[in-house]
Amino acid sequence: MACEDSFANYRLSYPDGKKSDHTWGGRLTKIAKTVPQKTAFIQGERQVNWREFERRVNRLAHGLLSLGLQKEDRAAIMGFNSIEWMESYFAVSRIGAVPVNVNPRFVAPEIKHILEDADAKALLFEAEYQELAQSLQPQLPLLKHLIAIRGKSSPGVTGYEELMAEHPETPPRLDWPVSNEDFAFLFYTGGTTGYPKGTVWDYDNRVRGLDAIMITALKPLIKKLPDLPSTAFPALLSTLPLPLSEGMIKSRPARWLFNHLADSERMDRLTMKMFGSTPNYRLAAGKMKLVVVAPLFHGTAYLTAFSMIGASAGTCIFLESRHPFDPAEFWRTVEKRKANLAVIVGDAFAIPMIEELEGRDYDVRSLAAII
């Protein structure tokens, strides 16, 4: 049995103090209030807007509190990409508990290692992994609650939707504050050797830090904008919250301005103030439509999706057949949803995508970038 570890060993203080809007709960409240009708997530034929998403997150957050979860308790999420994965992450965060990512393809000893190392008190899992979850629980004295997504309640297991149905859609009132200096995420990364290692993150890193990732990603693109081929502009301009045209971007003044802005620390500071703000959400919400192909328990997909959500309230699109990867469904989804971004990891995705695209007539003109 692992010894419970205090986050005090890792806690940092930040110059802007304990600003609660720099948490995922704070960001969700702001987004849902500012752009409630904008589409938050799409999976297959199912779509939810930000108001609907927040209400379901609130119900689940109340449910987790009713099970006894408290601030900085660890709650693991085991499953592939889904709207429920996002609901689980935001609900755990909303109450100040700590999400833990679990790759469901790990073998049982690896999963046991993560749950034990994390001191996980709850496990939210896809119903197909119920037998595995129940077989591990007796070996993990701290793991008190098993919650089956798309499953029903049974002895020792709580059904996800049944848990939600018992609680209101209003935000829970907590007996503790949740701030940007609190323990936000225990992210397990495989590296190249041995068991996965847990990396510790606070909200300032996982919220404001991901805003900064957006700036880092955009800076080289800003410098290159005037030199992009004309075929790239329709898709690219659809992601930008400003009323720009190709002619404006390729003009000599714009060329000078883009080069200057990309290298300006003042612009970095201004952009950081804009990202995650109410005015920016009104301008940008729903502009970026990202197909999250790589799994959210993988750092690449997590960082890309959450930086886009927090910075600009973009729309995440998940494939209905979450595993194994179906490249035909991917291209059909890009075509149907007019998606302009996608995130993958390496040749395991890229090669099947290329093979599927060759000789077939998919309309992919909306796709501005594959990350």
Side-chain angles (χ1 to χ4, degrees):
M1 173 179 168
C3 295
E4 292 198 59
D5 190 13
S6 170
F7 181 60
N9 296 334
Y10 311 96
R11 196 178 302 277
L12 298 175
S13 296
Y14 294 93
D16 57 354
K18 296 182 177 182
K19 293 187 176 178
S20 62
D21 62 336
H22 295 330
T23 66
W24 286 120
R27 285 292 172 89
L28 179 57
T29 296
K30 186 182 290 186
I31 294 171
K33 183 177 180 180
T34 307
V35 288
Q37 300 301 327
K38 290 291 186 179
T39 303
F41 302 99
I42 299 172
Q43 188 162 30
E45 296 304 314
R46 181 184 172 198
Q47 296 189 48
V48 294
N49 62 37
W50 284 108
R51 175 179 290 161
E52 294 165 338
F53 180 73
E54 187 196 28
R55 287 173 175 173
R56 282 180 58 83
V57 166
N58 289 339
R59 287 181 180 277
L60 183 56
H62 279 287
L64 296 174
L65 288 170
S66 74
L67 297 177
L69 262 68
Q70 299 183 11
K71 184 175 180 177
E72 296 185 359
D73 284 345
R74 267 68 97 190
I77 306 169
M78 184 169 70
F80 287 95
N81 295 0
S82 67
I83 297 173
E84 289 80 7
W85 197 102
M86 282 291 188
E87 289 171 350
S88 299
Y89 189 96
F90 274 91
V92 173
S93 299
R94 168 138 279 182
I95 67 171
V98 180
V100 178
N101 62 313
V102 180
N103 180 347
R105 294 190 69 200
F106 282 159
V107 296
E110 290 173 314
I111 295 172
K112 176 179 178 285
H113 166 77
I114 291 175
L115 298 176
E116 185 174 42
D117 188 68
D119 296 326
K121 293 187 177 179
L123 174 63
L124 298 98
F125 58 91
E126 298 281 357
E128 64 194 272
Y129 304 111
Q130 180 166 323
E131 184 177 341
L132 172 61
Q134 289 184 295
S135 71
L136 291 175
Q137 189 179 26
Q139 307 171 53
L140 300 164
L142 293 179
L143 184 60
K144 303 299 183 184
H145 305 290
L146 301 180
I147 303 168
I149 299 170
R150 284 183 286 275
K152 294 183 178 181
S153 293
S154 60
V157 176
T158 302
Y160 183 89
E161 295 291 341
E162 294 169 73
L163 179 62
M164 271 196 193
E166 298 174 359
H167 298 286
E169 59 189 24
T170 53
R173 292 185 178 182
L174 303 176
D175 294 331
W176 49 81
V178 181
S179 85
N180 61 322
E181 295 182 357
D182 288 328
F183 191 2
F185 190 22
L186 185 54
F187 181 76
Y188 279 83
T189 176
T192 56
T193 60
Y195 280 123
K197 292 89 178 168
T199 59
V200 176
W201 302 89
D202 59 34
Y203 282 104
D204 210 80
N205 271 299
R206 288 298 81 178
V207 181
R208 292 302 279 167
L210 296 190
D211 291 347
I213 284 181
M214 285 288 285
I215 296 174
T216 303
L218 287 173
K219 284 175 72 171
L221 177 61
I222 289 172
K223 293 186 76 167
K224 293 178 181 178
L225 272 177
D227 299 316
L228 292 174
S230 295
T231 52
F233 275 91
L236 182 63
L237 293 178
S238 70
T239 71
L240 300 176
L242 301 175
L244 298 172
S245 67
E246 180 183 352
M248 293 168 61
I249 290 173
K250 286 184 175 291
S251 67
R252 183 174 294 177
R255 188 180 295 273
W256 176 88
L257 182 63
F258 288 139
N259 272 283
H260 177 72
L261 291 179
D263 295 325
S264 167
E265 290 185 13
R266 183 175 297 176
M267 187 61 188
D268 284 357
R269 292 194 293 271
L270 176 62
T271 309
M272 279 295 285
K273 288 183 179 180
M274 278 297 295
F275 279 164
S277 70
T278 297
N280 186 56
Y281 288 146
R282 290 196 178 111
L283 283 170
K287 284 277 188 177
M288 292 187 182
K289 291 178 286 186
L290 170 71
V291 185
V292 187
V293 186
L296 285 164
F297 54 73
H298 190 287
T300 300
Y302 173 86
L303 293 172
T304 306
F306 277 80
S307 62
M308 183 193 70
I309 290 169
S312 62
T315 301
C316 284
I317 303 170
F318 304 126
L319 301 182
E320 198 162 29
S321 56
R322 295 158 297 150
H323 178 76
F325 173 54
D326 182 346
E329 184 188 355
F330 168 75
W331 291 118
R332 289 196 302 268
T333 301
V334 169
E335 182 176 56
K336 180 177 181 177
R337 300 299 180 184
K338 299 293 186 286
N340 40 43
L341 300 167
V343 57
I344 66 173
V345 179
D347 286 347
F349 293 101
I351 291 175
M353 286 163 59
I354 293 169
E355 291 174 344
E356 175 62 28
L357 196 58
E358 289 176 341
R360 290 175 173 82
D361 189 23
Y362 293 106
D363 183 353
V364 298
R365 289 175 293 178
S366 66
L367 193 61
I370 298 176
I371 302 160

